């Protein structure tokens, strides 16, 4: 029931997820302290096979990773998608708003981990009506979770310490 994963970067051509992992020499061993994320990706695969709303509510529909390097975060999510047997799509920060427009349909990509590169789309800005509308749209997409075509929205950002 799970699909073969693909890494899709809209600036470049589509590339098979296994080819990307091999090309970038990605391994789980190179990342420390991600055991819980590995367990979570195994739970994603199980949840997709079970096709049960209650189970998905426990797993979640979105994930935020605190990480200093967005490329490394993207690579971690790519590996996790491979474990879950999900598709993987990475959007750079300039593509996020356009890609998740009104025409976005999870049937086209699910099951999928959709990595949204950190950018201005994350910031609360009272003067940016487009960003505020987009944030409402993203919240709606996360809430309207599609069991048959699940999309897990993922992003990352560096930890900011306020003194």
């Amino acid at each position: 029931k799970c699909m073969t994963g693909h890494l899709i970067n809209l600036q470049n051509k589509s590339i098979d997820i296994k080819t990307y992992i091999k090309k970038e020499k990605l391994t789980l061993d190179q990342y420390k302290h991600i055991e819980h994320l590995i367990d979570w990706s195994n739970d994603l695969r199980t949840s997709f096979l079970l096709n049960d709303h209650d189970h998905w509510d426990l797993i979640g529909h979105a994930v935020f990773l605190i990480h200093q390097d967005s490329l490394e975060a993207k690579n971690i999510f790519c590996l996790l998608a491979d474990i879950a047997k999900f598709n993987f799509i990475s959007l750079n920060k300039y593509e996020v708003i356009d890609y998740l427009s009104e025409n976005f349909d999870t049937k086209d990509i699910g099951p999928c981990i959709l990595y949204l590169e950190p950018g201005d789309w994350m910031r609360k800005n009272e003067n940016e009506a487009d960003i505020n509308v987009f944030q409402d749209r993203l919240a709606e997409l996360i809430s309207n979770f599609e069991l048959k075509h699940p999309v897990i929205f993922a992003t990352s950002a560096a930890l900011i310490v306020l003194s």
Side-chain angles (χ1 to χ4, degrees), residues 95-119:
E95 298 170 314
V96 171
I97 292 175
D98 289 339
Y99 187 81
L100 297 175
S101 70
E102 293 297 324
N103 298 325
F104 175 76
D105 190 351
T106 61
K107 292 178 184 92
D108 297 333
I109 63 172
C112 181
I113 294 178
L114 179 58
Y115 179 71
L116 312 176
E117 182 184 26

Side-chain angles (χ1 to χ4, degrees), residues 57-75:
D57 288 344
L58 292 172
I59 299 300
H61 306 164
V63 63
F64 183 88
L65 179 64
I66 297 173
H67 201 291
Q68 298 293 334
D69 184 337
S70 62
L71 176 60
E72 276 196 9
K74 176 181 92 168
N75 289 340

Side-chain angles (χ1 to χ4, degrees), residues 2 10 27 40 44 54 63 73 80-82 85 94 120 129 152 159:
C2 290
L10 298 180
T27 66
W40 173 75
L44 287 178
D54 292 335
V63 63
L80 296 174
D82 187 48
K85 305 289 189 243
Y94 304 108
D120 289 340
I152 304 297
L159 177 63

Side-chain angles (χ1 to χ4, degrees), residues 15-135:
I15 182 171
D16 179 75
I17 196 170
K18 298 282 188 195
T19 304
Y20 179 80
I21 288 170
K22 191 174 191 177
K23 179 181 157 230
E24 297 297 320
K25 299 179 181 149
L26 300 179
T27 66
L28 292 171
D29 296 336
Q30 71 194 83
Y31 301 106
K32 296 179 181 176
H33 310 296
I34 65 166
E35 299 83 12
H36 295 298
L37 290 173
I38 293 167
D39 291 343
W40 173 75
S41 64
N42 285 316
D43 288 342
L44 287 178
R45 180 176 44 206
T46 302
S47 295
F48 180 64
L49 296 173
L50 290 175
N51 201 27
D52 176 58
H53 261 296
D54 292 335
H55 199 78
W56 274 111
D57 288 344
L58 292 172
I59 299 300
H61 306 164
V63 63
F64 183 88
L65 179 64
I66 297 173
H67 201 291
Q68 298 293 334
D69 184 337
S70 62
L71 176 60
E72 276 196 9
K74 176 181 92 168
N75 289 340
I76 289 169
F77 283 118
C78 178
L79 288 166
L80 296 174
D82 187 48
I83 291 168
K85 305 289 189 243
F86 274 38
N87 294 320
F88 179 75
I89 297 176
S90 174
L91 300 177
N92 76 43
K93 60 187 171 187
Y94 304 108
E95 298 170 314
V96 171
I97 292 175
D98 289 339
Y99 187 81
L100 297 175
S101 70
E102 293 297 324
N103 298 325
F104 175 76
D105 190 351
T106 61
K107 292 178 184 92
D108 297 333
I109 63 172
C112 181
I113 294 178
L114 179 58
Y115 179 71
L116 312 176
E117 182 184 26
D120 289 340
W121 64 267
M122 298 172 84
R123 298 182 189 354
K124 197 70 170 161
N125 188 337
E126 302 304 323
N127 300 325
E128 294 286 338
D130 290 347
I131 290 177
N132 295 331
V133 167
F134 167 76
Q135 290 172 348

